[in-house]
Amino acid sequence: MNLLVSKPCLVINSYAKLNLQLAVLCRRPDGYHDLETVFERISLYDKIILKSLPNKKIKIICDYPRVPDNSSNLAYKSAKLLQDEFNLNKGVQIEIIKSIPVGSGMGGGSSNAAAVLTGLNTLWMLKLKQSQLAVFAKQLGSDVPFFIHNTAFGTGTGRGDQIAAIKALSKQRFWHILVVPRIKVSTPLIYKKWDELNNSVRETPRLTTPGYNVKILTSALKKKDLFLVNNTLFNNLEEAAIKLYPCINRVKKKLGELGVKAILMSGSGPSVFGIVSSRKEAVNLSVKLKKEQFWRIFIARTL
Ligand code: C5P
């Protein structure tokens, strides 16, 4: 996360993520699912501009109509959480300039929440450590803690909220083509479908998770062998998502036809990414894919 303080406001880049592996283990008694996932932070970002306001006022401004400007916004909840926890009589205006597609499986809302926590730690001079911010992040959503950790690649366990950096990949950088079908996907619905497909209530975790292997993924990424990488990419929400939204499979097929070797849906979808060998390849693909008017196309690299 880049912080740029230019009084009296603070500008933060709020980056997106991809999931290179996502294994759902079981449904928990609290309704959430235990999972194992590998996150990658990418260069696609929203801009968050924080400005101090008097009293406890929290004001959200966003250029994108589907983002709520009220207390249901995760960015609002982040500010409220800190206000309440530290009994602060300080307010903030949170301006969100969106580039990360909303509800796409790339963690835009979660990243914005993390950016507000990090930014307010500076603006309100709270002096909280990363580990303390991570505790607040967990309360806001399963994906929020990853964005608090300053790492390009990390594993997430528990609800996806217990993060460990993958140090072996810290210097690795990859180019991606991102395709986001213009559909609205409900994350809870995807998990419900996963329950249905996996005999409803599996409330004990599997002992082994087929498909999830960070060591093999790490080794394939380090070799930059995209065929090998493709064999280790894994998301077992994909089947549920494709059953509900078949267009996700059309995107995967199209990328395959265009020669992309490593392809996967991110998070609960509907975004699909391809890992490609250069920026040039990503640009060439984006030119071809932009003919599809129901898909939004982006290029991003590891950050
Ligand atoms: O944690 P977050 O609010 O982002 O989760 C959104 C929804 O996704 C939850 O309400 C739940 O239905 C589902 N979810 C889950 N298990 C997880 C993460 C999310 O069931 N580990």
Side-chain angles (χ1 to χ4, degrees):
M1 215 163 284
N2 285 347
L3 297 188
L4 184 76
V5 189
S6 71
K7 271 187 179 171
C9 72
L10 198 145
V11 185
I12 308 158
N13 291 348
S14 169
Y15 295 102
K17 59 87 179 163
L18 299 174
N19 300 85
L20 302 184
Q21 294 190 338
L22 197 165
V24 183
L25 305 181
C26 68
R27 188 156 87 92
R28 315 187 327 179
D30 65 4
Y32 278 93
H33 293 74
D34 271 333
L35 50 88
E36 293 179 315
T37 189
V38 174
F39 292 107
E40 177 188 353
R41 185 176 57 192
I42 57 167
S43 57
L44 181 64
Y45 66 93
D46 295 337
K47 254 200 177 357
I48 306 277
I49 305 165
L50 302 180
K51 279 187 192 150
S52 286
L53 288 181
N55 309 318
K56 284 175 173 270
K57 190 166 170 54
I58 302 171
K59 187 177 174 198
I60 305 276
I61 302 173
C62 184
D63 58 342
Y64 191 76
R66 253 178 73 190
V67 175
D69 61 359
N70 54 34
S71 60
S72 69
N73 190 308
L74 266 191
Y76 184 105
K77 288 182 185 172
S78 303
K80 182 86 172 63
L81 189 63
L82 293 179
Q83 270 182 347
D84 291 350
E85 182 68 23
F86 299 104
N87 200 15
L88 302 171
N89 192 28
K90 296 177 179 196
V92 65
Q93 172 180 293
I94 304 168
E95 187 179 350
I96 307 170
I97 302 169
K98 286 301 285 180
S99 296
I100 306 171
V102 176
S104 63
M106 291 197 277
S110 302
S111 172
N112 295 170
V116 171
L117 285 179
T118 312
L120 289 181
N121 192 31
T122 304
L123 198 70
W124 288 348
M125 291 180 284
L126 300 174
K127 299 198 169 97
L128 298 170
K129 291 190 218 124
Q130 193 185 69
S131 57
Q132 292 171 292
L133 289 173
V135 173
F136 292 117
K138 277 181 201 196
Q139 295 171 45
L140 293 161
S142 313
D143 284 342
V144 185
F146 172 68
F147 296 107
I148 294 289
H149 286 75
N150 190 15
T151 183
F153 294 91
T155 56
T157 50
R159 275 163 51 209
D161 56 351
Q162 291 164 31
I163 307 298
I166 306 177
K167 294 206 177 86
L169 291 175
S170 63
K171 292 199 171 71
Q172 302 293 320
R173 297 291 176 265
F174 301 93
W175 282 101
H176 304 283
I177 181 83
L178 311 172
V179 182
V180 189
R182 293 179 196 271
I183 55 169
K184 205 176 166 194
V185 163
S186 153
T187 301
L189 198 66
I190 303 278
Y191 277 96
K192 207 164 152 256
K193 190 74 186 169
W194 182 89
D195 290 337
E196 259 174 60
L197 294 170
N198 291 273
N199 295 331
S200 187
V201 217
R202 177 195 280 276
E203 283 189 348
T204 47
R206 299 169 204 258
L207 289 178
T208 58
T209 315
Y212 183 80
N213 192 320
V214 180
K215 266 195 182 157
I216 296 178
L217 173 72
T218 302
S219 147
L221 286 170
K222 285 183 89 170
K223 284 182 193 144
K224 307 234 180 258
D225 181 331
L226 296 179
F227 278 114
L228 270 185
V229 169
N230 192 49
N231 290 336
T232 67
L233 293 180
F234 173 76
N235 181 345
N236 68 357
L237 288 176
E238 215 178 50
E239 187 192 359
I242 286 172
K243 284 226 150 61
L244 291 167
Y245 309 99
C247 66
I248 294 169
N249 209 27
R250 282 199 288 281
V251 174
K252 291 193 71 180
K253 272 195 178 152
K254 182 74 186 177
L255 287 175
E257 282 162 19
L258 291 174
V260 180
K261 297 183 193 89
I263 306 165
L264 192 72
M265 182 184 86
S266 180
S268 56
S271 62
V272 173
F273 64 91
I275 306 181
V276 295
S277 52
S278 64
R279 182 174 189 279
K280 194 173 166 213
E281 187 183 347
V283 171
N284 288 342
L285 285 163
S286 77
V287 171
K288 290 176 188 153
L289 288 161
K290 275 185 178 148
K291 291 175 191 145
E292 302 277 350
Q293 65 181 98
F294 295 109
W295 300 349
R296 298 180 67 191
I297 313 297
F298 302 86
I299 292 171
R301 66 176 176 89
T302 316
L303 200 89

